[in-house]
Each structure stands twice: as structure tokens, then as C-alpha cells.
Amino acid sequence: MKLTHLLSASFLSLFSTVALSATFTFTAIPDEDESQLRTRFDKVADYLTEQLGVEVKYIPVKSYSAAVTAFRNNQVQLAWFGGLSGVQARRLVPGSEAIAQGFEDQFFKSYLIAHKSTEMAASTNFPLLNDYTFTFGSKDSTSGRLMPQYFIEKNTGKPIEQIFKRIGFSGDHSRTISQVEAGVYQVGAVNYKVWDTAVENGDVDTSKVKVIWESPTYPDYQWTVHSGVDEKFGAGFKEKLTKTLIGMTDKDLLASFPRESFVPAKNSDYEPIERVAKTIGMLD
């Protein structure tokens, strides 16, 4: 009996050691320049490692769909998703949860931007877009594709294929800005945060490209955690992770997103995104 107890104790000790030594991994949708993302999320990994007491590693991916796939396959336990990619991931992984969002993500928005050659002026009225070339960001982007397409089709009463002379997908918001600034496309849709930050940093020539329309607000980015993290990393881990993300106060770290702060989130916050995705045929 004593030997059995001893073996049981040894097994539990070994199990605890394995749990403590496990690496907690996370990823993020590649919505901006890769070097900017690496700088931001390596800092997040350091912050989480210090606060959670486990090794945390950021794993970059090349596309929005790759971020969803990594989450589905449990290659990462946490992800910084956009509204649509978060919905997609949680549909694939029952029990996964949106746990935190940027304060601004509760009322996010998109900009339509135009090259100077269009001679379009900024207006609160929806612009006339007929026969221009147009680029979205990633095909799975909430602020760079889903919501702009929805607002365009709602305001024109036409599918996008009947509106634009040519449609492209730049891949991320930074490239959308560059392509419209260069005149590769005449008009584009972009995440307002990426645009505002680029303008503030002097990375945009506003004599060549400008905002012509600002969308209504909608819920967007969030941190989504995989089901089963408490089993792998210990009871209460998800709660501690949630508090740690919401408790992020480092000004430089917040500015790198950029976000004022992080606040609680839940799956139901993103039901409007799911409804829009079904409406335009991006979800079943």
C-alpha cells in the first residue's frame, strides 16, 4: 500500500512538473507589417510569461486562415483575432471563448480611402464608387473586407462585382494603404487604427491618398482562448489569463496595438459579425 501511495505521489509530481513546463503559445492575425507584429507580440509574450508564471511563446502566421487553422489544431492556445476570424475559430473549437478586447474594439470602424486622381472629397454621405478599381485587405479581414463589403452593398444596393472595374485583396491594411497611395488601386478599405497610426507616424503621403468615408461602428478584435487550458496549465489558468490581459497597463505595450486598454469580452459580443458574414455569404 505504501509503495502504491509512493508511486501515485511520484506520478502526480511528474504530472505537475510537465504541466508547469508546458509552453503556452499564441498567435495573431497578420493584419499589418510583419516586423511590427513581431515587435508587438514578442513584448506580449514577455509580459504574459512574467505574469502567468509559464513560458509563453508567440507564433507568427502568414495568413488569417493560418491563424484560424493553428487555433483549430491546438497549435496555439490563444489568438488575437479579428471579429470574423474569431467567429470562425470559435465555431471550429467548441468551448473556446472570447475573453478580452481592446476598449476601442467595442466600437471599431473602417475607412474608405481614395487616390488623389479620383478627386473624391471626404463626406458623411456614402461616395459614388462606380467603375473604380478597389482593394480590400485580407479576404478574411473584418475591417478590411467583411464590414466594408457589407456597407458598400447596403448603400449601393448592388453586389461589389457590379460596382467596381477591378477588385483586389492586398493581404493586410498596411499594403492597402501603400497600394492606394501608389495608385495601384483607386479606392480601398482599411482598418481605421492602422490608418490613423500610419498618418501619425508620417508613413502616409496624405497629398496622394485620403479618407473619403467613415463607416458606422461594429465589434472587432478580441483575444480568444482555446478550450481545455485549465486542464493543461492548471485550475484557474483561464481566469488568471483573462485578468492578466485586462490588466495590461504598460503604455508602450498598449500603444503598440494601439489600444487605450483591454476590457472583458464574451462570445455573444460578436453575434453581429456572424450575422453580417452570413448575410454576404462568408459563413454558412
Side-chain angles (χ1 to χ4, degrees):
M1 183 66 72
K2 289 182 179 180
L3 179 59
T4 302
H5 287 165
L6 182 60
L7 289 172
S8 297
S10 298
F11 176 78
L12 289 172
S13 176
L14 177 62
F15 179 81
S16 297
T17 301
V18 170
L20 289 172
S21 64
T23 300
F24 183 71
T25 56
F26 74 97
T27 194
I29 54 171
D31 60 343
E32 291 186 66
D33 175 79
E34 186 175 344
S35 63
Q36 291 176 300
L37 296 179
R38 170 67 77 174
T39 299
R40 176 199 302 168
F41 290 113
D42 280 349
K43 290 180 181 178
V44 172
D46 291 341
Y47 167 73
L48 292 177
T49 295
E50 180 182 347
Q51 297 295 318
L52 297 174
V54 300
E55 182 183 0
V56 179
K57 183 178 180 181
Y58 163 58
I59 299 178
V61 292
K62 292 296 185 181
S63 67
Y64 283 52
S65 60
V68 173
T69 298
F71 190 82
R72 180 191 65 193
N73 294 340
N74 203 18
Q75 294 167 289
V76 296
Q77 293 79 51
L78 176 73
W80 175 243
F81 283 131
L84 176 59
S85 50
V87 167
Q88 291 170 328
R90 291 189 296 273
R91 282 161 61 104
L92 292 168
V93 183
S96 57
E97 295 179 53
I99 56 174
Q101 61 187 323
F103 176 80
E104 296 87 340
D105 295 310
Q106 301 170 97
F107 22 78
F108 215 75
K109 55 191 175 183
S110 298
Y111 289 154
L112 294 185
I113 58 175
H115 188 263
K116 66 176 182 179
S117 62
T118 65
E119 298 183 346
M120 285 195 283
S123 175
T124 55
N125 296 321
F126 196 80
L128 182 64
L129 298 173
N130 290 350
D131 294 327
Y132 288 114
T133 58
F134 187 95
T135 185
F136 293 105
S138 165
K139 291 182 178 181
D140 294 315
S141 171
T142 305
S143 54
R145 193 274 176 87
L146 174 72
M147 298 308 297
Q149 179 174 337
Y150 170 72
F151 290 127
I152 290 168
E153 293 182 343
K154 180 180 178 181
N155 280 279
T156 63
K158 299 178 183 178
I160 54 172
E161 293 80 8
Q162 294 180 16
I163 300 169
F164 301 113
K165 184 163 39 179
R166 177 165 56 95
I167 297 172
F169 293 92
S170 70
D172 68 51
H173 301 290
S174 300
R175 284 199 288 268
T176 294
I177 295 171
S178 297
Q179 289 182 353
V180 178
E181 181 179 321
V184 177
Y185 289 91
Q186 294 168 292
V187 188
V190 67
N191 168 326
Y192 88 103
K193 276 288 184 184
V194 176
W195 170 271
D196 288 352
T197 300
V199 171
E200 184 179 334
N201 292 340
D203 296 331
V204 181
D205 186 345
T206 52
S207 70
K208 296 180 179 179
V209 57
K210 63 182 178 181
V211 175
I212 58 169
W213 186 76
E214 180 179 308
S215 79
T217 60
Y218 52 84
D220 202 348
Y221 292 78
Q222 88 292 155
W223 289 104
T224 289
V225 67
H226 209 281
S227 57
V229 290
D230 281 3
E231 287 77 4
K232 185 172 183 178
F233 296 95
F237 184 84
K238 182 175 68 176
E239 181 180 358
K240 186 176 182 180
L241 171 64
T242 303
K243 290 180 178 178
T244 298
L245 291 171
I246 294 171
M248 191 185 297
T249 57
D250 182 277
K251 290 183 179 179
D252 290 337
L253 193 49
L254 289 171
S256 72
F257 275 88
R259 296 295 187 275
E260 174 185 317
S261 63
F262 286 96
V263 297
K266 56 186 182 298
N267 293 0
S268 59
D269 294 336
Y270 298 89
E271 288 176 357
I273 297 298
E274 187 167 5
R275 288 197 300 271
V276 167
K278 289 177 179 178
T279 297
I280 69 170
M282 290 183 68
L283 282 177
D284 295 329

